[in-house]
Amino acid sequence: MQGREGHTATLFRKDPLKLDSGATLSPVNVGYETYGSLNADRSNAIIICHALTGDQYVASTHPITGKEGWWSRLVGPGKLYDTDKYFIICSNVLGSCLGTTGPWEENPATGKPWGIDFPVITIRDMVRVQAALLDHLGVETLLMAVGGSMGGMQILEWLCTFPERVHSAVILAAAARHTAQNIAFHEVGRQAVMADPNWHEGRYYDKAAKPDKGLAVARMTAHITYLSENALTEKFGRNLQSREAISFGFEADFQVESYLRHQGSTFVDRFDANSYLYITRAMDYLDIADRHGGRLSDAFKKAAHVRCCVISFSTDWLYPTSENKAVAHALNAAGVPVSFAEIDSPYGHDAFLLDVPQMDHMLTGFLSTAAKTRGLK
Ligand SMILES: CC(=O)SCCNC(=O)CCNC(=O)[C@H](O)C(C)(C)COP(=O)(O)OP(=O)(O)OC[C@H]1O[C@@H](n2cnc3c(N)ncnc32)[C@H](O)[C@@H]1OP(=O)(O)O
Ligand SMILES: N[C@@H](CCO)C(=O)O
């Protein structure tokens, strides 16, 4: 496999993909990027799985926002995930909207976008698509599977579903199930989308106006859950946008209001409302223990050879340390070698996207050991 920095490609999979729902999907397109080169014995591949609204542009410029990749701090030549040494793969998840099949794409049966006729998907379905991508790329076993948040949930599904294809795994700020509170926040977001008159029961793709207002409100609510109370206080406190601006109306007087509006309005430029419904639903359905008679450790029985690292962040109240610890305990009970750390960080859930030296330190050490145990320098 010839490597280029930020090589974008699309995999077209003709074989029908059997989904957890029982439905089949065909064809399936996958938008993905690779960085670096696969070595001769195909032992240096690392998959990075993105979070809910993330994308395959982990270390390259986003085609819509023009911003640099969401982990470009960590992925590149000489960086933590060194593309001079490793073959990095990152693909857009099933159901999303940047090249991988989702509700925005044409339903072959009707010739029109799927909309909400798109089948229900799960995190495990996303991982099945990634496994097909690995087949296409000629990667049998991953040196490492890494992901934060929903990315971490995908790593857990890798450990349950394709453990034989994984040598080591990193799960950051994740959980093996969605709690009632997680589902509740997502439901508020979905209701905001569906209450937007421009949603049109999901059939808005041929219309000039999209359900942007609803999607923006969904993002504003969700974004609060990605931060900590202290982070919001530190950033904005009760500061006003402008002292003179107190209007007694409903313009964004407080900085935090203006900030959330900005997060909402920039989000709708890069994301599809129906994709948001489907992916949040997939996360809500996640309950790995439930599929294994209520015992999470049973899910990882076949992963005893995989070296794992689980990291939580002290101020993450979305997927708190208790949920991450439950994952680490279950891995340990299944005989999986696992290290666990709670990193003290003020940033809340999104800490895994930010510059947190202790996280970098742990990831560096873990990767170096994993590479050595796989015979890589
Ligand atoms: C794998 C993945 O998850 S990929 C997807 C991840 N990306 C996202 O989630 C994107 C949105 N999320 C964020 O921005 C997250 O907070 C982070 C963690 C990614 C980045 O955090 P930070 O670097 O601390 O950025 P911060 O949260 O302060 O936001 C900065 C933005 O808010 C804007 N902003 C700050 N204050 C205000 C204000 N008072 N009024 C309006 N806008 C404001 C800034 O101008 C900046 O805008 P820009 O992003 O358009 O350049
Ligand atoms: N802020 C990230 C993480 C959410 O879990 C995202 O939007 O994908």
Side-chain angles (χ1 to χ4, degrees), residues 48-55 57-58 67 69-71 90 148-151 219 223 226-227 235-236 239-241 252 254-263 266-267 270 347 349-355:
I48 299 179
C49 296
H50 69 72
L52 166 57
T53 75
D55 47 67
Y57 305 105
V58 57
K67 288 194 169 189
W70 52 272
W71 246 12
C90 187
S149 193
M150 190 185 83
R219 181 61 169 183
H223 195 73
Y226 304 152
L227 306 175
K235 267 183 204 282
F236 308 111
N239 297 341
L240 298 170
Q241 281 293 94
F254 291 97
Q255 284 181 6
V256 68
E257 289 178 296
S258 165
Y259 169 76
L260 281 181
R261 289 181 191 198
H262 178 78
Q263 293 294 339
T266 50
F267 180 59
R270 69 175 177 89
Y347 305 124
H349 173 67
D350 265 354
F352 75 98
L353 295 167
L354 293 167
D355 189 354

Side-chain angles (χ1 to χ4, degrees), residues 199-334:
W199 181 60
H200 296 295
E201 304 295 317
R203 285 183 281 276
Y204 53 80
Y205 294 106
D206 60 348
K207 308 236 181 318
K210 308 279 183 286
D212 288 349
K213 286 203 168 134
L215 184 60
V217 172
R219 181 61 169 183
M220 289 165 76
T221 314
H223 195 73
I224 300 166
T225 71
Y226 304 152
L227 306 175
S228 67
E229 188 184 355
N230 277 352
L232 276 180
T233 304
E234 277 286 307
K235 267 183 204 282
F236 308 111
R238 295 183 44 81
N239 297 341
L240 298 170
Q241 281 293 94
S242 146
R243 272 286 155 197
E244 298 83 58
I246 301 174
S247 63
F248 301 103
F250 293 101
E251 293 307 312
D253 261 359
F254 291 97
Q255 284 181 6
V256 68
E257 289 178 296
S258 165
Y259 169 76
L260 281 181
R261 289 181 191 198
H262 178 78
Q263 293 294 339
S265 69
T266 50
F267 180 59
V268 301
D269 294 337
R270 69 175 177 89
F271 218 78
D272 173 53
N274 283 336
S275 285
Y276 193 79
L277 300 182
Y278 276 88
I279 300 177
T280 54
R281 206 45 155 176
M283 294 173 80
D284 290 349
Y285 282 131
L286 186 78
D287 185 351
I288 295 178
D290 187 57
R291 293 205 314 260
H292 294 84
R295 283 170 64 97
L296 187 55
S297 56
D298 285 355
F300 305 126
K301 269 193 199 149
K302 294 190 178 144
H305 60 285
V306 187
R307 309 171 74 87
C308 288
C309 173
V310 179
I311 296 177
S312 70
F313 297 92
S314 54
T315 51
D316 181 353
W317 55 278
L318 189 63
Y319 305 123
T321 290
S322 54
E323 293 293 319
N324 287 273
K325 246 188 198 164
V327 168
H329 283 148
L331 288 166
N332 186 49

